[in-house]
């Protein structure tokens, strides 16, 4: 069965410092990887997905199939980045279509101090 | 569209009571998911539906939990009888097919406290 692991429950950095939220997955097939974010008093929402290969709010994430990782990075953290971050995985079928089920990690609470 | 709508937002009940959580997905979305969020386990998938049909309920903790989707615009998650360990935030989410498949749109959650 697929599994997503976020080893850090809490992560604290100072404003302007680089930040990396770790995500490892276990699945032998082709996965789709996502990062979701939940800001205080807001709904859980999609931050980015690996197939888009885009930078959102300064965050990037690269899928490393060799290391089965999808770490989220930002070179200069801002206070407004403080939130709960979830890494998630969805399975891809052989034809490229997807199963609907999304498996989430345990989440990492990021706190950016002024 | 108001997004995914969940009710109630907060529920406090006593052990043994029946709890019913409700969800209205975004119109036109083919998938509906129920997740449970706890500090210890993060977000756990309980069950999901495709076109109102339950596809995977392997995450439902035990027989005390049941979920239904009688039509495309409504779903319920029921716990009977409730226990203190069921205390958590329960999220409903919906997702479309097509290019946006994989993006889940979440409700605000129902915070359940079982005393």
């Amino acid at each position: 069965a697929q599994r997503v692991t976020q080893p850090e429950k809490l992560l604290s950095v100072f404003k302007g410092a680089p930040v990396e939220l770790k995500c490892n997955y276990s699945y032998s097939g082709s996965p789709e990887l996502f990062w979701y974010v939940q800001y205080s008093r807001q709904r859980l929402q999609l931050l980015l997905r690996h197939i888009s290969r885009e930078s959102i709010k300064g965050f990037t994430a690269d899928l490393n199939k060799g290391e089965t990782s999808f770490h989220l990075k930002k070179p200069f953290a801002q206070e407004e980045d403080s939130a709960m971050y979830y890494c998630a995985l969805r399975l891809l079928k052989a034809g490229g279509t997807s199963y609907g089920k999304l498996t989430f990690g345990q989440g990492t609470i990021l706190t950016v101090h002024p | 569209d108001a997004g995914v709508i969940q009710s109630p937002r907060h529920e406090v009940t006593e052990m043994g009571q029946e709890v019913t959580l409700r969800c209205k997905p975004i119109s036109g979305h083919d998938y509906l998911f129920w997740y449970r969020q706890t500090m210890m386990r993060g977000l756990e998938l309980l069950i999901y539906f495709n076109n109102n049909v339950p596809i995977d309920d392997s995450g439902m903790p035990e027989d005390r939990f049941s979920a239904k989707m009688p039509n495309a615009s409504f779903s319920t998650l029921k716990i009977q009888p409730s226990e203190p360990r069921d205390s958590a935030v329960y999220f409903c989410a919906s997702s479309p097919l097509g290019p946006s498949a994989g993006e889940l749109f979440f409700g605000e959650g129902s915070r359940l406290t079982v005393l």
Side-chain angles (χ1 to χ4, degrees):
Chain A
Q2 66 274 19
R3 189 180 190 92
V4 179
T5 302
Q6 294 177 249
E8 302 141 328
K9 230 170 177 43
L10 301 170
L11 185 60
S12 289
V13 299
F14 285 99
K15 177 182 171 182
V19 63
E20 181 179 67
L21 292 87
K22 290 183 167 48
C23 172
N24 290 92
Y25 66 92
S26 61
Y27 177 61
S28 57
S30 295
E32 276 188 281
L33 274 297
F34 305 82
W35 277 98
Y36 277 75
V37 61
Q38 187 175 25
Y39 300 103
S40 178
R41 288 186 291 278
Q42 291 189 29
R43 302 180 186 219
L44 191 61
Q45 58 189 285
L46 178 66
L47 179 63
L48 55 80
R49 56 201 306 175
H50 89 269
I51 58 174
S52 299
R53 296 184 174 273
E54 54 188 351
S55 172
I56 305 293
K57 299 184 179 183
F59 284 99
T60 59
D62 292 317
L63 179 59
N64 186 323
K65 291 188 177 181
E67 296 182 357
T68 59
S69 68
F70 188 57
H71 303 325
L72 183 68
K73 302 177 185 179
K74 185 169 182 176
F76 307 103
Q78 303 299 314
E79 290 178 69
E80 54 265 30
D81 296 329
S82 297
M84 169 76 91
Y85 291 81
Y86 285 100
C87 182
L89 174 152
R90 194 169 68 142
L91 309 181
L92 281 173
K93 296 180 185 177
T97 56
S98 304
Y99 295 100
K101 176 177 172 177
L102 209 62
T103 299
F104 286 83
Q106 303 92 322
T108 298
I109 299 173
L110 173 65
T111 304
V112 181
H113 300 283
Chain B
D1 200 324
V4 175
I5 300 172
Q6 291 187 247
S7 64
R9 293 291 310 283
H10 301 275
E11 175 93 4
V12 180
T13 190
E14 292 187 346
M15 183 173 66
Q17 297 298 305
E18 178 179 295
V19 172
T20 299
L21 307 178
R22 297 172 179 79
C23 175
K24 181 180 187 305
I26 294 172
S27 176
H29 281 192
D30 298 275
Y31 288 95
L32 183 138
F33 305 80
W34 283 101
Y35 283 90
R36 179 170 65 176
Q37 182 189 47
T38 61
M39 282 301 295
M40 290 298 295
R41 298 188 175 190
L43 269 174
E44 301 173 277
L45 177 65
L46 300 177
I47 185 171
Y48 79 97
F49 297 83
N50 181 19
N51 292 324
N52 314 338
V53 176
I55 301 301
D56 184 347
D57 65 353
S58 59
M60 296 286 262
E62 46 199 273
D63 292 345
R64 296 184 298 107
F65 285 70
S66 62
K68 293 181 180 179
M69 192 165 185
N71 56 62
S73 58
F74 184 66
S75 177
T76 59
L77 178 68
K78 186 175 292 187
I79 309 172
Q80 166 64 19
S82 58
E83 297 183 3
R85 59 192 167 124
D86 302 329
S87 297
V89 180
Y90 290 81
F91 285 102
C92 177
S94 68
S95 178
L97 286 175
S100 295
E103 178 172 2
L104 266 59
F105 295 81
F106 282 83
E108 294 180 290
S110 293
R111 182 176 295 276
L112 172 65
T113 303
V114 184
L115 303 173

